[in-house]
Amino acid sequence: MPKLKPATQFARREHILDAAEQCIAREGFHRTTMHDICRAAGVSAGALYVYFASKEDLIAGICERDRAKLAGELTQLADAPDLVSALGKLAQHYAVDQPVYKRLIVLEMGIESTRNPAIASIFRSVDQFVIESFAKLFERARQQGRIAPHLDTQTLARVVATIGDGMFWRRAIDPTHNPQSLVTVLLGVISTLLNPTQPLHHPAPVGTPMKALT
Amino acid sequence: MPKLKPATQFARREHILDAAEQCIAREGFHRTTMHDICRAAGVSAGALYVYFASKEDLIAGICERDRAKLAGELTQLADAPDLVSALGKLAQHYAVDQPVYKRLIVLEMGIESTRNPAIASIFRSVDQFVIESFAKLFERARQQGRIAPHLDTQTLARVVATIGDGMFWRRAIDPTHNPQSLVTVLLGVISTLLNPTQPLHHPAPVGTPMKALT
Amino acid sequence: MPKLKPATQFARREHILDAAEQCIAREGFHRTTMHDICRAAGVSAGALYVYFASKEDLIAGICERDRAKLAGELTQLADAPDLVSALGKLAQHYAVDQPVYKRLIVLEMGIESTRNPAIASIFRSVDQFVIESFAKLFERARQQGRIAPHLDTQTLARVVATIGDGMFWRRAIDPTHNPQSLVTVLLGVISTLLNPTQPLHHPAPVGTPMKALT
Amino acid sequence: MPKLKPATQFARREHILDAAEQCIAREGFHRTTMHDICRAAGVSAGALYVYFASKEDLIAGICERDRAKLAGELTQLADAPDLVSALGKLAQHYAVDQPVYKRLIVLEMGIESTRNPAIASIFRSVDQFVIESFAKLFERARQQGRIAPHLDTQTLARVVATIGDGMFWRRAIDPTHNPQSLVTVLLGVISTLLNPTQPLHHPAPVGTPMKALT
DNA sequence: TATGAATGAGGATTCATTCAT
DNA sequence: TATGAATGAATCCTCATTCAT
């Protein structure tokens, strides 16, 4: 048989990853069976193994794709003129707009990263990249006099990342959670950390969907 | 053997739960086999099933015990004279001193709560109890003039819980994480939220082990 | 401890056998667990094993008791003045009055006898005894001129036994079955086989409970 | 493998059913393990579960196949010109020629039907069909003047079925049993019941193998 | 004797992966 | 490439039996 066009191959792989994400959000990595994924993707077991060497590999594929997307979006953040509003858009996207099932996948990934070296490598490198990006962002802003934090920018980055983690966790795990109001408050907190002289709790308005990141 | 003394039965149950926690922290709920747990507890399969009706039941037992302990500790918090230092001790315990494997169990629980109604019931009721406790605590402190937050105490409670979630997540997931410094900063943030007029970043010193809660 | 009085021992054994019969009628030999029987008898596992060395032994005990009773009742039959009415009482007892669960036990026994040598020995010896008893009964009646069958009495005995088997089977297996009417007809059939000259289908009336056999 | 041809699938299913029947005749439904059946069929556990969803399902499959065959053969009986000889062929097949293990399966089925609703439904519907078929057969023969029974045809049908049950039971359970002679006698009995005026015990000769039904 | 907790081999079933077609 | 039947080790759980108390 003639080799499939790379574009078709890529599309099929993506399709399988999409189906797998749905299954995994519903059941978790380890209760999702390859057969579940085959059914969800409308693909035979044999076909699935053309695109992924193993279940491990498929899970890694999901993580890689998700984290690459996050990393890409962070890169765009570097050019943002208004730091706080850029962070607001990011928060809006990841802690409000994005469907819960995408958040659940990230939790699965995080936990898996404590056990699975392949996932750990993907997950941690992106996590460090995120923090480094924040740190650079903050450092540049500080040098340009746009922010004047009391904390060093490394710590600041870690604080912001941790607050983000909290929002993501709660978004995924708490069905009674109202993300919007919380995001507003926490963005205010971050804003104050960046510029302690500014009055507390008058955060830049958020809520504009982050088109570019969807 | 005649009927075991309730104390012995309880101790044996606890022993199994301890062993199961170790396994689950290492492998997760679904990759941990009953056989693993038997081996870790030094107990036969049959004996294990004397104390737990099923794997589900054992998992629920772990969650219940863990959450009951948390709820108990929160109850003690109500009598704390100094709110911020009490929160500091709590944070110190859960985000710094407690071994990482205990934190991983909580992550497992949270994720499981999105899929397993029995776990959901345990997890969410305690989660709500935590937030309610915070809210009451803050409300009382506010009425006594010990704090003067801009936010309503309900929102404040949810913000504090979310920041806590972030610390717990990072403690569990990030091996490069230095919890102590982060806790100090975030406690400062909370302190400022409670009393916006106070200067930022001079939080009450933390680091004293939380004896009463261990 | 002082040895239990033999009467008490016997009573306890009987009690366990009764409980076991109930369980086995409900679930069959192999789906009945020793634990089921313990619960039904209100006896601990250890106690049960005082009276029966194994599950095999308990099953054999049930069979032995049941078959001994049957053999005993057949022995009484030997003295019956009216052959047909005596057979009628027997049929009435075993194919009409006796509770279905007792019949089910006999089916279990029969099947078990095809696989389990211990049961086979018990079951077959009594089965042969039954047929031999019938044969002798018939032979004596024939010699006394009370019956005048065309068939030899050995064959006659086997025919009667087989017809009995059919009634017992149907009684146990068919919930829509009306045993009374069938017994009447089949007793007529047997009556005719014994005395072909007598008019067909005016069997001796049956229906009187067989007190002595209960 | 691409999708197996339905014929192949059917054949493989039949093969498993055959193997399972052998095992079950030897050990009974509940002492036969799926592994036994796999070994007997030369098939892996996974393969077996392609064809049967569970042990229950496999047992139901055995019952269904067996009972469907019986029902089919009864249907053919409807066209028989000579009623007694047709019944003779049936008896010959089921109570003489058919291997004992097939008979044991039916006993297993019957007992299982008292506990397992799925089996009960299969077993009882065919049992009723058998009796109804007999009743119709007898009723037609009576209307055509070919028989002149004293009993109503419904009762007659139940009597004949019960006598059949007796023969089947004995064939399965009694290794000393000589089915041929008994069948001859009992067929004579039935013949007399159908036509009480005819002389007793000169039944139509039986013994010709029932080609069409094998 | 009696208790019932404990043992551990064994049973039904699942599922990642392979491979003949 | 794609199919899906087949493999078989691994999983959860049961249960006849034992034995320390």
Side-chain angles (χ1 to χ4, degrees), chain D residues 160-196:
Chain D
V160 170
T162 302
I163 290 175
D165 290 341
M167 292 192 292
F168 299 153
W169 170 265
R170 207 144 262 284
R171 171 105 170 99
I173 248 55
D174 181 357
T176 72
H177 178 57
N178 171 1
Q180 191 68 72
S181 70
L182 218 78
V183 164
T184 307
V185 172
L186 285 168
L187 208 63
V189 166
I190 290 168
S191 176
T192 309
L193 283 170
L194 295 175
N195 270 320

mmCIF file of all heavy atoms in Angstrom, chain D residues 160-196:
data_model
loop_
_atom_site.group_PDB
_atom_site.id
_atom_site.type_symbol
_atom_site.label_atom_id
_atom_site.label_comp_id
_atom_site.label_asym_id
_atom_site.label_seq_id
_atom_site.Cartn_x
_atom_site.Cartn_y
_atom_site.Cartn_z
ATOM 1 N N VAL D 160 -46.936 -38.647 29.717
ATOM 2 C CA VAL D 160 -45.874 -39.116 28.817
ATOM 3 C C VAL D 160 -44.569 -38.381 29.102
ATOM 4 O O VAL D 160 -43.492 -38.996 29.183
ATOM 5 C CB VAL D 160 -46.301 -38.932 27.343
ATOM 6 C CG1 VAL D 160 -45.123 -39.169 26.405
ATOM 7 C CG2 VAL D 160 -47.454 -39.876 27.015
ATOM 8 N N ALA D 161 -44.658 -37.057 29.305
ATOM 9 C CA ALA D 161 -43.446 -36.284 29.593
ATOM 10 C C ALA D 161 -42.799 -36.772 30.887
ATOM 11 O O ALA D 161 -41.568 -36.908 30.974
ATOM 12 C CB ALA D 161 -43.790 -34.801 29.695
ATOM 13 N N THR D 162 -43.612 -37.046 31.874
ATOM 14 C CA THR D 162 -43.076 -37.482 33.163
ATOM 15 C C THR D 162 -42.409 -38.851 33.059
ATOM 16 O O THR D 162 -41.345 -39.087 33.646
ATOM 17 C CB THR D 162 -44.199 -37.508 34.216
ATOM 18 O OG1 THR D 162 -44.774 -36.197 34.301
ATOM 19 C CG2 THR D 162 -43.679 -37.935 35.571
ATOM 20 N N ILE D 163 -43.034 -39.746 32.304
ATOM 21 C CA ILE D 163 -42.404 -41.056 32.090
ATOM 22 C C ILE D 163 -41.068 -40.868 31.364
ATOM 23 O O ILE D 163 -40.059 -41.500 31.704
ATOM 24 C CB ILE D 163 -43.350 -41.991 31.312
ATOM 25 C CG1 ILE D 163 -44.521 -42.381 32.223
ATOM 26 C CG2 ILE D 163 -42.610 -43.235 30.815
ATOM 27 C CD1 ILE D 163 -45.600 -43.204 31.531
ATOM 28 N N GLY D 164 -41.071 -39.971 30.402
ATOM 29 C CA GLY D 164 -39.822 -39.645 29.716
ATOM 30 C C GLY D 164 -38.777 -39.137 30.695
ATOM 31 O O GLY D 164 -37.627 -39.601 30.693
ATOM 32 N N ASP D 165 -39.175 -38.211 31.551
ATOM 33 C CA ASP D 165 -38.241 -37.691 32.547
ATOM 34 C C ASP D 165 -37.611 -38.827 33.345
ATOM 35 O O ASP D 165 -36.404 -38.832 33.586
ATOM 36 C CB ASP D 165 -38.984 -36.772 33.525
ATOM 37 C CG ASP D 165 -39.423 -35.462 32.888
ATOM 38 O OD1 ASP D 165 -38.864 -35.092 31.842
ATOM 39 O OD2 ASP D 165 -40.341 -34.822 33.438
ATOM 40 N N GLY D 166 -38.447 -39.786 33.739
ATOM 41 C CA GLY D 166 -37.944 -40.909 34.519
ATOM 42 C C GLY D 166 -36.880 -41.684 33.750
ATOM 43 O O GLY D 166 -35.824 -42.037 34.291
ATOM 44 N N MET D 167 -37.155 -41.934 32.481
ATOM 45 C CA MET D 167 -36.174 -42.681 31.676
ATOM 46 C C MET D 167 -34.879 -41.905 31.528
ATOM 47 O O MET D 167 -33.772 -42.466 31.608
ATOM 48 C CB MET D 167 -36.763 -42.975 30.299
ATOM 49 C CG MET D 167 -37.931 -43.973 30.341
ATOM 50 S SD MET D 167 -38.377 -44.577 28.688
ATOM 51 C CE MET D 167 -39.051 -43.098 27.943
ATOM 52 N N PHE D 168 -35.015 -40.607 31.314
ATOM 53 C CA PHE D 168 -33.824 -39.790 31.103
ATOM 54 C C PHE D 168 -32.986 -39.741 32.380
ATOM 55 O O PHE D 168 -31.763 -39.854 32.348
ATOM 56 C CB PHE D 168 -34.217 -38.368 30.687
ATOM 57 C CG PHE D 168 -34.978 -38.338 29.403
ATOM 58 C CD1 PHE D 168 -35.875 -37.305 29.134
ATOM 59 C CD2 PHE D 168 -34.829 -39.345 28.452
ATOM 60 C CE1 PHE D 168 -36.576 -37.285 27.941
ATOM 61 C CE2 PHE D 168 -35.543 -39.326 27.248
ATOM 62 C CZ PHE D 168 -36.417 -38.282 27.007
ATOM 63 N N TRP D 169 -33.657 -39.548 33.467
ATOM 64 C CA TRP D 169 -32.965 -39.507 34.755
ATOM 65 C C TRP D 169 -32.182 -40.793 34.997
ATOM 66 O O TRP D 169 -30.989 -40.786 35.300
ATOM 67 C CB TRP D 169 -33.984 -39.295 35.877
ATOM 68 C CG TRP D 169 -33.427 -39.474 37.256
ATOM 69 C CD1 TRP D 169 -33.466 -40.613 37.999
ATOM 70 C CD2 TRP D 169 -32.724 -38.502 38.031
ATOM 71 N NE1 TRP D 169 -32.851 -40.410 39.206
ATOM 72 C CE2 TRP D 169 -32.382 -39.130 39.257
ATOM 73 C CE3 TRP D 169 -32.359 -37.180 37.827
ATOM 74 C CZ2 TRP D 169 -31.689 -38.457 40.266
ATOM 75 C CZ3 TRP D 169 -31.666 -36.505 38.837
ATOM 76 C CH2 TRP D 169 -31.334 -37.130 40.030
ATOM 77 N N ARG D 170 -32.893 -41.899 34.828
ATOM 78 C CA ARG D 170 -32.253 -43.177 35.101
ATOM 79 C C ARG D 170 -31.086 -43.440 34.138
ATOM 80 O O ARG D 170 -30.023 -43.939 34.541
ATOM 81 C CB ARG D 170 -33.290 -44.298 35.011
ATOM 82 C CG ARG D 170 -32.951 -45.500 35.867
ATOM 83 C CD ARG D 170 -34.125 -46.164 36.472
ATOM 84 N NE ARG D 170 -34.312 -45.722 37.851
ATOM 85 C CZ ARG D 170 -33.568 -46.138 38.885
ATOM 86 N NH1 ARG D 170 -32.569 -46.992 38.707
ATOM 87 N NH2 ARG D 170 -33.794 -45.686 40.094
ATOM 88 N N ARG D 171 -31.316 -43.079 32.895
ATOM 89 C CA ARG D 171 -30.226 -43.245 31.916
ATOM 90 C C ARG D 171 -28.978 -42.488 32.361
ATOM 91 O O ARG D 171 -27.845 -42.969 32.202
ATOM 92 C CB ARG D 171 -30.692 -42.719 30.552
ATOM 93 C CG ARG D 171 -29.611 -42.620 29.499
ATOM 94 C CD ARG D 171 -29.731 -43.721 28.484
ATOM 95 N NE ARG D 171 -28.856 -43.525 27.357
ATOM 96 C CZ ARG D 171 -27.682 -44.139 27.230
ATOM 97 N NH1 ARG D 171 -27.291 -45.007 28.160
ATOM 98 N NH2 ARG D 171 -26.929 -43.924 26.171
ATOM 99 N N ALA D 172 -29.182 -41.323 32.915
ATOM 100 C CA ALA D 172 -28.040 -40.482 33.269
ATOM 101 C C ALA D 172 -27.379 -40.929 34.569
ATOM 102 O O ALA D 172 -26.166 -40.813 34.735
ATOM 103 C CB ALA D 172 -28.484 -39.016 33.391
ATOM 104 N N ILE D 173 -28.192 -41.428 35.477
ATOM 105 C CA ILE D 173 -27.735 -41.575 36.855
ATOM 106 C C ILE D 173 -27.365 -43.012 37.227
ATOM 107 O O ILE D 173 -26.563 -43.222 38.146
ATOM 108 C CB ILE D 173 -28.860 -41.027 37.791
ATOM 109 C CG1 ILE D 173 -28.409 -39.760 38.472
ATOM 110 C CG2 ILE D 173 -29.329 -42.032 38.827
ATOM 111 C CD1 ILE D 173 -27.945 -38.680 37.577
ATOM 112 N N ASP D 174 -27.927 -43.960 36.517
ATOM 113 C CA ASP D 174 -27.766 -45.356 36.934
ATOM 114 C C ASP D 174 -26.887 -46.123 35.961
ATOM 115 O O ASP D 174 -27.302 -46.457 34.867
ATOM 116 C CB ASP D 174 -29.159 -46.011 37.022
ATOM 117 C CG ASP D 174 -29.080 -47.461 37.481
ATOM 118 O OD1 ASP D 174 -27.958 -47.983 37.675
ATOM 119 O OD2 ASP D 174 -30.148 -48.073 37.651
ATOM 120 N N PRO D 175 -25.651 -46.419 36.351
ATOM 121 C CA PRO D 175 -24.735 -47.074 35.416
ATOM 122 C C PRO D 175 -25.099 -48.536 35.148
ATOM 123 O O PRO D 175 -24.634 -49.102 34.158
ATOM 124 C CB PRO D 175 -23.381 -46.972 36.123
ATOM 125 C CG PRO D 175 -23.702 -46.796 37.556
ATOM 126 C CD PRO D 175 -25.029 -46.131 37.648
ATOM 127 N N THR D 176 -25.944 -49.103 35.994
ATOM 128 C CA THR D 176 -26.342 -50.504 35.775
ATOM 129 C C THR D 176 -27.590 -50.584 34.902
ATOM 130 O O THR D 176 -28.089 -51.674 34.633
ATOM 131 C CB THR D 176 -26.668 -51.195 37.115
ATOM 132 O OG1 THR D 176 -27.915 -50.670 37.617
ATOM 133 C CG2 THR D 176 -25.574 -50.954 38.148
ATOM 134 N N HIS D 177 -28.036 -49.426 34.532
ATOM 135 C CA HIS D 177 -29.316 -49.343 33.827
ATOM 136 C C HIS D 177 -29.221 -49.917 32.411
ATOM 137 O O HIS D 177 -28.301 -49.622 31.666
ATOM 138 C CB HIS D 177 -29.732 -47.882 33.762
ATOM 139 C CG HIS D 177 -30.996 -47.639 33.021
ATOM 140 N ND1 HIS D 177 -32.193 -48.233 33.352
ATOM 141 C CD2 HIS D 177 -31.274 -46.837 31.963
ATOM 142 C CE1 HIS D 177 -33.146 -47.812 32.534
ATOM 143 N NE2 HIS D 177 -32.604 -46.962 31.678
ATOM 144 N N ASN D 178 -30.226 -50.721 32.072
ATOM 145 C CA ASN D 178 -30.347 -51.209 30.698
ATOM 146 C C ASN D 178 -31.496 -50.467 30.049
ATOM 147 O O ASN D 178 -32.661 -50.811 30.232
ATOM 148 C CB ASN D 178 -30.621 -52.708 30.716
ATOM 149 C CG ASN D 178 -30.981 -53.219 29.331
ATOM 150 O OD1 ASN D 178 -31.007 -52.451 28.362
ATOM 151 N ND2 ASN D 178 -31.269 -54.503 29.232
ATOM 152 N N PRO D 179 -31.181 -49.417 29.322
ATOM 153 C CA PRO D 179 -32.264 -48.551 28.850
ATOM 154 C C PRO D 179 -33.209 -49.251 27.878
ATOM 155 O O PRO D 179 -34.410 -49.055 27.914
ATOM 156 C CB PRO D 179 -31.531 -47.399 28.168
ATOM 157 C CG PRO D 179 -30.188 -47.922 27.832
ATOM 158 C CD PRO D 179 -29.869 -48.981 28.844
ATOM 159 N N GLN D 180 -32.629 -50.109 27.033
ATOM 160 C CA GLN D 180 -33.432 -50.671 25.944
ATOM 161 C C GLN D 180 -34.687 -51.382 26.458
ATOM 162 O O GLN D 180 -35.804 -51.113 26.017
ATOM 163 C CB GLN D 180 -32.573 -51.644 25.128
ATOM 164 C CG GLN D 180 -33.237 -52.077 23.842
ATOM 165 C CD GLN D 180 -33.336 -50.902 22.860
ATOM 166 O OE1 GLN D 180 -32.339 -50.471 22.295
ATOM 167 N NE2 GLN D 180 -34.542 -50.380 22.666
ATOM 168 N N SER D 181 -34.487 -52.278 27.422
ATOM 169 C CA SER D 181 -35.641 -53.055 27.895
ATOM 170 C C SER D 181 -36.672 -52.151 28.547
ATOM 171 O O SER D 181 -37.877 -52.309 28.363
ATOM 172 C CB SER D 181 -35.178 -54.139 28.871
ATOM 173 O OG SER D 181 -34.753 -53.549 30.072
ATOM 174 N N LEU D 182 -36.185 -51.183 29.311
ATOM 175 C CA LEU D 182 -37.117 -50.300 29.996
ATOM 176 C C LEU D 182 -37.925 -49.455 29.019
ATOM 177 O O LEU D 182 -39.135 -49.252 29.195
ATOM 178 C CB LEU D 182 -36.361 -49.381 30.952
ATOM 179 C CG LEU D 182 -37.142 -49.164 32.230
ATOM 180 C CD1 LEU D 182 -36.981 -50.383 33.121
ATOM 181 C CD2 LEU D 182 -36.705 -47.912 32.937
ATOM 182 N N VAL D 183 -37.222 -48.964 28.008
ATOM 183 C CA VAL D 183 -37.922 -48.149 27.005
ATOM 184 C C VAL D 183 -39.035 -48.965 26.363
ATOM 185 O O VAL D 183 -40.150 -48.484 26.161
ATOM 186 C CB VAL D 183 -36.923 -47.639 25.947
ATOM 187 C CG1 VAL D 183 -37.651 -47.128 24.710
ATOM 188 C CG2 VAL D 183 -36.054 -46.542 26.531
ATOM 189 N N THR D 184 -38.748 -50.202 26.059
ATOM 190 C CA THR D 184 -39.749 -51.052 25.425
ATOM 191 C C THR D 184 -40.998 -51.169 26.303
ATOM 192 O O THR D 184 -42.134 -50.984 25.846
ATOM 193 C CB THR D 184 -39.158 -52.445 25.156
ATOM 194 O OG1 THR D 184 -37.945 -52.283 24.419
ATOM 195 C CG2 THR D 184 -40.139 -53.309 24.382
ATOM 196 N N VAL D 185 -40.754 -51.458 27.561
ATOM 197 C CA VAL D 185 -41.896 -51.606 28.466
ATOM 198 C C VAL D 185 -42.677 -50.302 28.597
ATOM 199 O O VAL D 185 -43.905 -50.272 28.496
ATOM 200 C CB VAL D 185 -41.418 -52.070 29.860
ATOM 201 C CG1 VAL D 185 -42.576 -52.044 30.851
ATOM 202 C CG2 VAL D 185 -40.799 -53.453 29.778
ATOM 203 N N LEU D 186 -41.945 -49.230 28.826
ATOM 204 C CA LEU D 186 -42.637 -47.964 29.079
ATOM 205 C C LEU D 186 -43.358 -47.461 27.835
ATOM 206 O O LEU D 186 -44.414 -46.834 27.916
ATOM 207 C CB LEU D 186 -41.653 -46.927 29.617
ATOM 208 C CG LEU D 186 -41.293 -47.183 31.087
ATOM 209 C CD1 LEU D 186 -40.104 -46.343 31.532
ATOM 210 C CD2 LEU D 186 -42.497 -46.907 31.989
ATOM 211 N N LEU D 187 -42.796 -47.770 26.687
ATOM 212 C CA LEU D 187 -43.499 -47.425 25.458
ATOM 213 C C LEU D 187 -44.802 -48.209 25.369
ATOM 214 O O LEU D 187 -45.835 -47.700 24.899
ATOM 215 C CB LEU D 187 -42.608 -47.716 24.251
ATOM 216 C CG LEU D 187 -42.883 -46.836 23.045
ATOM 217 C CD1 LEU D 187 -42.594 -45.378 23.375
ATOM 218 C CD2 LEU D 187 -42.086 -47.292 21.850
ATOM 219 N N GLY D 188 -44.748 -49.456 25.829
ATOM 220 C CA GLY D 188 -45.970 -50.256 25.892
ATOM 221 C C GLY D 188 -47.006 -49.607 26.797
ATOM 222 O O GLY D 188 -48.191 -49.521 26.459
ATOM 223 N N VAL D 189 -46.542 -49.136 27.921
ATOM 224 C CA VAL D 189 -47.444 -48.458 28.858
ATOM 225 C C VAL D 189 -48.107 -47.264 28.182
ATOM 226 O O VAL D 189 -49.326 -47.074 28.246
ATOM 227 C CB VAL D 189 -46.656 -48.007 30.107
ATOM 228 C CG1 VAL D 189 -47.478 -47.020 30.925
ATOM 229 C CG2 VAL D 189 -46.277 -49.213 30.946
ATOM 230 N N ILE D 190 -47.286 -46.482 27.528
ATOM 231 C CA ILE D 190 -47.820 -45.293 26.855
ATOM 232 C C ILE D 190 -48.810 -45.701 25.771
ATOM 233 O O ILE D 190 -49.879 -45.114 25.606
ATOM 234 C CB ILE D 190 -46.661 -44.451 26.277
ATOM 235 C CG1 ILE D 190 -45.882 -43.810 27.431
ATOM 236 C CG2 ILE D 190 -47.174 -43.396 25.314
ATOM 237 C CD1 ILE D 190 -44.564 -43.202 27.026
ATOM 238 N N SER D 191 -48.419 -46.700 25.066
ATOM 239 C CA SER D 191 -49.298 -47.199 24.000
ATOM 240 C C SER D 191 -50.667 -47.578 24.559
ATOM 241 O O SER D 191 -51.705 -47.261 23.983
ATOM 242 C CB SER D 191 -48.615 -48.398 23.335
ATOM 243 O OG SER D 191 -49.457 -48.965 22.383
ATOM 244 N N THR D 192 -50.651 -48.234 25.683
ATOM 245 C CA THR D 192 -51.905 -48.614 26.325
ATOM 246 C C THR D 192 -52.698 -47.400 26.797
ATOM 247 O O THR D 192 -53.931 -47.377 26.728
ATOM 248 C CB THR D 192 -51.629 -49.523 27.533
ATOM 249 O OG1 THR D 192 -50.770 -50.592 27.120
ATOM 250 C CG2 THR D 192 -52.925 -50.095 28.086
ATOM 251 N N LEU D 193 -51.958 -46.407 27.278
ATOM 252 C CA LEU D 193 -52.660 -45.193 27.711
ATOM 253 C C LEU D 193 -53.345 -44.513 26.534
ATOM 254 O O LEU D 193 -54.429 -43.948 26.655
ATOM 255 C CB LEU D 193 -51.671 -44.220 28.356
ATOM 256 C CG LEU D 193 -51.242 -44.544 29.790
ATOM 257 C CD1 LEU D 193 -50.088 -43.651 30.208
ATOM 258 C CD2 LEU D 193 -52.423 -44.376 30.749
ATOM 259 N N LEU D 194 -52.687 -44.600 25.392
ATOM 260 C CA LEU D 194 -53.268 -43.977 24.200
ATOM 261 C C LEU D 194 -54.458 -44.785 23.694
ATOM 262 O O LEU D 194 -55.470 -44.238 23.259
ATOM 263 C CB LEU D 194 -52.195 -43.876 23.096
ATOM 264 C CG LEU D 194 -51.009 -42.954 23.389
ATOM 265 C CD1 LEU D 194 -49.970 -43.042 22.266
ATOM 266 C CD2 LEU D 194 -51.470 -41.502 23.538
ATOM 267 N N ASN D 195 -54.304 -46.086 23.754
ATOM 268 C CA ASN D 195 -55.357 -46.972 23.254
ATOM 269 C C ASN D 195 -55.646 -48.072 24.270
ATOM 270 O O ASN D 195 -55.170 -49.194 24.140
ATOM 271 C CB ASN D 195 -54.915 -47.624 21.931
ATOM 272 C CG ASN D 195 -55.313 -46.779 20.753
ATOM 273 O OD1 ASN D 195 -56.415 -46.218 20.727
ATOM 274 N ND2 ASN D 195 -54.418 -46.695 19.775
ATOM 275 N N PRO D 196 -56.449 -47.755 25.278
ATOM 276 C CA PRO D 196 -56.658 -48.698 26.379
ATOM 277 C C PRO D 196 -57.264 -50.012 25.932
ATOM 278 O O PRO D 196 -57.139 -51.017 26.620
ATOM 279 C CB PRO D 196 -57.634 -47.953 27.288
ATOM 280 C CG PRO D 196 -57.501 -46.527 26.925
ATOM 281 C CD PRO D 196 -57.153 -46.492 25.475
#
